[in-house]
Amino acid sequence: MTGPKIRVFVDQPLGPGQAVALDEARANYLFAVMRLGAGDAVHLFNGQDGEWRAEVAEAGRRRGIAVCADQTAPQGVPSDLWLLFSPVKKDRTNFIVEKAVELGAARLMPVSTRHMNSERLRTDKQQAHAVEAAEQCGATWVPVVEDLQPLDRLLAGWPEGRRLYWADEARAGAGGGWEAGSPGEPSAILIGPEGGFSDDERARLAARPFVTPVSLGPRILRAETAALAALTLWQARFGDWR
Amino acid sequence: MTGPKIRVFVDQPLGPGQAVALDEARANYLFAVMRLGAGDAVHLFNGQDGEWRAEVAEAGRRRGIAVCADQTAPQGVPSDLWLLFSPVKKDRTNFIVEKAVELGAARLMPVSTRHMNSERLRTDKQQAHAVEAAEQCGATWVPVVEDLQPLDRLLAGWPEGRRLYWADEARAGAGGGWEAGSPGEPSAILIGPEGGFSDDERARLAARPFVTPVSLGPRILRAETAALAALTLWQARFGDWR
């Protein structure tokens, strides 16, 4: 095998000599799409046991078995960073989820807001996007995608000691905000819907002591651009890009 | 009119009392899609004369006229930042172009590389994407999208005094690289194709004195993620987000 490493997330224990059952979706991907066969290598991770090189032992149409050989990466731990975002159009929401995984968010929390663009969010589909993104980017964990919940309820039960960076479109050009944070601090980033936050929501956010408004430059960024830019700046300052 | 400002790029002079002809595409957008009519306000920019509030004087099916009232923003100048990128799949290339405009790149330069994913790039379509993105994000300029050119040829004629930040996937986790730059320095960012650069290309890049390799964290980023992240970090350090 040459070419990039083929990585698959499995929800099963991994360890020396461990046989791992591959379900229909994985069998289809590995054996039909990627054309692997018995004896070929595949890399497995489950979010707990690191990454393992495994050898395909059975390659069926609907199922397969791979047997773990050796650990190729230790289990990683994402930075303690949550992303709160308000669903936008489907493609752009998919994009937010994919990119948040690549950029190392630990938890993806869709929140409903007054001006949100979409009421519907298939958590299971978004979780599947997160798995694919983790397989592709080399992470050894998959961030959990939570069900949509009202922003106000989330704020009401906000955990002590976690800073919430609020990408506040009214701060365009005002600069900074990030200097309030520090590495290792439990953090979250809040991105609004395309229509922005309502005056009520803005007032309630501004009143919370754990909320830190941040600026993302002088132009009006789309929601997914704001999410990516904020995750990037946080990782470069406080996270695993340092 | 309430709601967000409707902005349209026009390739015509703008000034007090200036009548501006709106072509079929713009008439369709303003009068059919956005449902503006005579007397409604539209904001115009042309990349030279700032942004103007204009009033619709004629709203036809295939053409229209708007008359400039007053200037609502001075002409802005983008940071002196180019983005060199190797075309990827269509949707993701569209995304790179849209996001590069939002993030304030001045010039978009598709480059052909050994492992590039796509040979085709419709410059006219990408330029149209850039116009739409500028209309949406509030910029008063539209970055030029150049025709695809070979990376090697571009490097051979590289202008003196311009630093090229190279998002080098081999630096994953190596940290930094950005500290070599400074605000105001003419700059460019180079993002490779999904398949990465070839060994030859890597060697030639590494040998150029104007090339500064930078790291974008420990995970493998897709090309469009790398483009956005690098543009964000540059703007926050050296550009108009400071």
Side-chain angles (χ1 to χ4, degrees):
Chain A
M1 287 294 303
T2 56
K5 199 150 84 163
I6 295 170
R7 301 179 82 245
V8 170
F9 174 82
V10 290
D11 195 11
Q12 291 173 65
L14 302 173
Q18 178 79 45
V20 178
L22 302 166
D23 63 13
E24 185 166 354
R26 287 172 181 81
N28 182 62
Y29 169 69
L30 293 174
F31 311 138
V33 179
M34 302 307 292
R35 306 204 168 254
L36 297 191
D40 285 335
V42 57
H43 287 76
L44 306 177
F45 65 107
N46 63 3
Q48 298 187 340
D49 300 319
E51 181 192 82
W52 287 74
R53 190 175 61 79
E55 192 171 287
V56 174
E58 284 184 39
R61 271 181 58 202
R62 303 204 168 168
R63 58 185 296 274
I65 294 175
V67 178
C68 293
D70 47 292
Q71 197 185 41
T72 44
Q75 181 57 43
V77 178
S79 300
D80 190 358
L81 175 64
W82 301 351
L83 177 66
L84 282 57
F85 66 98
S86 194
V88 287
K89 284 183 200 151
K90 184 163 163 270
D91 284 355
R92 294 179 189 265
T93 297
N94 294 351
F95 198 87
I96 289 174
V97 169
E98 178 181 302
K99 298 318 173 200
V101 176
E102 288 180 59
L103 296 171
R107 203 166 160 184
L108 306 187
M109 306 168 85
V111 291
S112 53
T113 57
R114 184 76 60 90
H115 299 318
M116 108 181 135
N117 309 53
S118 167
E119 303 277 323
R120 299 185 57 192
L121 187 89
R122 287 279 304 271
T123 310
D124 56 338
K125 293 218 167 178
Q126 294 304 335
Q127 187 66 64
H129 280 300
V131 168
E132 275 173 41
E135 289 173 345
Q136 179 273 324
C137 78
T140 51
W141 64 86
V142 179
V144 172
V145 181
E146 302 200 345
D147 288 327
L148 186 67
Q149 60 184 309
L151 176 61
D152 286 337
R153 195 171 70 197
L154 186 57
L155 295 180
W158 195 252
E160 207 177 313
R162 182 173 299 271
R163 186 183 297 277
L164 178 59
Y165 296 94
W166 169 30
D168 178 6
E169 66 270 24
R171 278 181 72 90
W178 298 102
E179 60 283 351
S182 55
E185 184 181 44
S187 300
I189 287 167
L190 170 63
I191 301 296
E194 293 290 348
F197 293 101
S198 70
D199 289 344
D200 275 12
E201 286 168 336
R202 294 178 47 74
R204 286 198 294 276
L205 280 165
R208 300 277 182 178
F210 52 82
V211 170
T212 299
V214 291
S215 159
L216 296 173
R219 284 168 296 282
I220 300 159
L221 303 186
R222 285 183 180 272
E224 71 278 5
T225 320
L228 263 84
L231 289 166
T232 297
L233 292 178
W234 190 91
Q235 288 288 13
R237 255 185 190 266
F238 307 129
D240 62 16
W241 290 26
R242 284 180 308 140
Chain B
M1 287 294 304
T2 55
K5 201 150 85 162
I6 296 170
R7 302 178 82 245
V8 170
F9 174 82
V10 292
D11 195 11
Q12 292 174 64
L14 302 173
Q18 178 79 44
V20 178
L22 302 167
D23 63 13
E24 185 167 350
R26 287 170 181 83
N28 182 63
Y29 169 68
L30 293 174
F31 311 137
V33 179
M34 302 308 291
R35 307 206 167 253
L36 298 192
D40 285 335
V42 58
H43 288 77
L44 307 177
F45 65 105
N46 63 3
Q48 298 188 341
D49 300 320
E51 181 194 82
W52 287 75
R53 190 176 61 79
E55 192 172 289
V56 174
E58 284 184 38
R61 271 181 58 202
R62 302 205 170 168
R63 58 184 299 272
I65 295 174
V67 178
C68 293
D70 46 294
Q71 197 185 40
T72 44
Q75 180 58 44
V77 178
S79 300
D80 190 359
L81 176 64
W82 301 352
L83 176 68
L84 282 57
F85 66 99
S86 194
V88 285
K89 284 184 199 150
K90 183 163 163 270
D91 285 354
R92 295 180 188 266
T93 298
N94 295 350
F95 198 88
I96 289 174
V97 169
E98 177 182 300
K99 299 318 175 200
V101 176
E102 289 179 59
L103 296 172
R107 203 167 161 185
L108 306 187
M109 307 168 84
V111 292
S112 54
T113 56
R114 184 77 61 89
H115 298 318
M116 109 181 135
N117 310 52
S118 167
E119 302 277 323
R120 299 186 55 192
L121 187 89
R122 286 278 305 271
T123 308
D124 56 340
K125 294 219 167 178
Q126 294 302 337
Q127 187 65 64
H129 280 300
V131 168
E132 277 172 41
E135 290 173 343
Q136 179 272 325
C137 77
T140 51
W141 65 86
V142 178
V144 172
V145 182
E146 302 200 344
D147 288 326
L148 187 66
Q149 59 184 310
L151 175 61
D152 285 338
R153 197 172 69 198
L154 185 57
L155 295 180
W158 195 253
E160 206 177 314
R162 182 172 299 270
R163 187 184 297 276
L164 178 59
Y165 296 94
W166 168 31
D168 178 6
E169 67 270 23
R171 277 182 72 90
W178 299 101
E179 60 283 351
S182 55
E185 183 182 46
S187 300
I189 287 167
L190 170 63
I191 301 295
E194 293 290 346
F197 292 101
S198 70
D199 289 344
D200 275 11
E201 286 168 337
R202 295 179 45 76
R204 286 199 293 275
L205 280 164
R208 299 278 183 179
F210 52 82
V211 169
T212 298
V214 290
S215 158
L216 296 173
R219 283 168 296 282
I220 300 159
L221 302 186
R222 284 183 182 272
E224 70 278 6
T225 319
L228 263 84
L231 289 165
T232 297
L233 293 178
W234 190 92
Q235 288 289 13
R237 257 187 188 263
F238 307 129
D240 62 16
W241 290 26
R242 282 182 307 141

